[in-house]
Amino acid sequence: MYLDKLFINTKVVIDYKVSILGFTDIHCHIIPTVDDGAQSMEQAQEMIRIAYAGDTRRIIATPHYGTSRAKASAGIIVTRFRELLRWTKDNYPEMELFLGQELSYRHGLDEQLKRGAAFSMADSHYALVEFQPDDEYSRIRQGLQAVQMAGYWPILAHAERCQRLAANIDYIEELVHMGIYIQINAKSVTGENGWQCKSCTKKLLKRELVHFVASDGHDTKKRIPSIQKAIFQISSRYGKKYALKLSVVNPGKVIADEFIE
């Protein structure tokens, strides 16, 4: 069966025929000097090394959009992404990089996506959308619906950080039933983002309301680009099949622009 998967020496094996040598991280601020992530090309290169050492083999770079943390135009983002991509191909040929953005929701985001001012994920129908921690559920729901109505498949970034959602998991279940995809941060799974985030992610994982685990990596010290520890914990507690779905199968569908059932 396609979904008969195993961890073997931190490698993923599917059907004992196709070997995927690592995880896919769909949320990472690795492009240098475009937001509050990597602050130099050297730091971005070190983040690539860290990700590779943690068995990540695909990264969607997601610089901020629509917030004060965004520091560069679309043209500069593309230029610096290509520079990092060239270095990565020369030094880590097994690592693949793709371009997306973490889109801070505001009115008109749907139109900005349509005209290419804001980037979808790896040029797919998927869009990674974030909200402020204290946003009301009605704003989150309506904003995601607006992106959806524009023809995109929204991924809610680090849902566990949204206070109204963390306080009422039924809200997240409602979003999932609407066709919204849920991303959580690896450090929330391991408890490094505090007990509230850990408690929320535990509830979400138990109810299988999560579609992606990502690093939300920003640097080489406190917010590193690695999901390995979290994925192993999920594998141990909730099963290998689910862990691989969150770190390999679903992210692969984003890159392939395939719909996740």
Side-chain angles (χ1 to χ4, degrees):
M1 293 177 62
Y2 175 75
L3 289 176
D4 183 16
K5 308 179 185 77
L6 300 171
F7 282 115
I8 299 180
N9 296 326
T10 72
K11 296 181 181 180
V12 178
V13 177
I14 300 176
D15 280 347
Y16 309 101
K17 296 177 182 178
V18 180
S19 180
I20 300 175
L21 303 178
F23 309 119
T24 300
D25 186 355
I26 71 159
H27 183 173
C28 190
H29 298 265
I30 201 167
I31 303 175
T33 66
V34 298
D35 63 3
D36 61 343
Q39 294 303 297
S40 67
M41 180 58 73
E42 291 74 21
Q43 188 178 37
Q45 292 167 358
E46 182 60 23
M47 289 173 72
I48 293 288
R49 294 187 187 99
I50 291 169
Y52 190 90
D55 290 328
T56 293
R57 293 296 181 269
R58 285 174 150 190
I59 297 173
I60 302 180
T62 51
H64 284 290
Y65 176 86
T67 172
S68 60
R69 290 167 290 177
K71 301 176 183 178
S73 66
I76 291 173
I77 288 171
V78 170
T79 296
R80 292 178 183 163
F81 171 76
R82 288 174 176 169
E83 290 172 357
L84 181 60
L85 181 63
R86 284 194 294 271
W87 181 89
T88 303
K89 285 183 175 180
D90 289 342
N91 293 274
Y92 291 89
E94 293 179 352
M95 178 73 83
E96 295 181 86
L97 300 185
F98 303 87
L99 182 58
Q101 275 185 314
E102 181 179 14
L103 310 170
S104 183
Y105 182 76
R106 60 185 179 184
H107 180 71
L109 177 61
D110 50 340
E111 293 299 324
Q112 292 156 9
L113 274 164
K114 283 182 178 179
R115 69 170 187 264
F119 300 156
S120 65
M121 300 288 277
D123 200 28
S124 72
H125 285 85
Y126 290 91
L128 181 67
V129 185
E130 73 163 342
F131 291 84
Q132 296 303 308
D134 59 352
D135 275 349
E136 295 293 336
Y137 175 59
S138 58
R139 184 174 191 273
I140 295 171
R141 188 176 190 274
Q142 291 166 11
L144 292 169
Q145 280 183 317
V147 174
Q148 214 171 26
M149 293 298 290
Y152 292 90
W153 303 332
I155 301 170
L156 176 58
H158 37 62
E160 75 279 8
R161 286 171 45 180
C162 298
Q163 295 168 8
R164 302 300 189 278
L165 302 185
N168 190 340
I169 301 301
D170 288 343
Y171 285 157
I172 296 180
E173 186 165 12
E174 182 179 355
L175 293 175
V176 171
H177 287 319
M178 284 170 45
I180 306 303
Y181 299 103
I182 303 300
Q183 178 256 308
I184 61 175
N185 285 357
K187 282 196 168 186
S188 295
V189 176
T190 60
E192 295 164 272
N193 285 338
W195 71 267
Q196 289 181 319
C197 285
K198 184 176 182 179
S199 175
C200 179
T201 56
K202 184 177 180 180
K203 293 173 185 176
L204 293 176
L205 290 164
K206 187 175 182 179
R207 291 167 65 167
E208 295 194 0
L209 294 174
V210 179
H211 301 89
F212 308 96
V213 173
S215 71
D216 194 6
H218 278 66
D219 55 44
T220 60
K221 301 295 183 182
K222 294 183 178 180
R223 303 178 70 180
I224 66 171
S226 178
I227 65 172
Q228 185 185 64
K229 183 179 177 182
I231 294 302
F232 286 172
Q233 285 191 13
I234 293 169
S235 176
S236 175
R237 296 171 185 172
Y238 306 99
K240 296 173 184 176
K241 178 178 175 180
Y242 191 36
L244 289 166
K245 190 174 182 180
L246 304 184
S247 60
V248 176
V249 179
N250 287 349
K253 289 186 176 182
V254 172
I255 291 169
D257 198 17
E258 296 176 355
F259 188 73
I260 297 170
E261 297 292 341

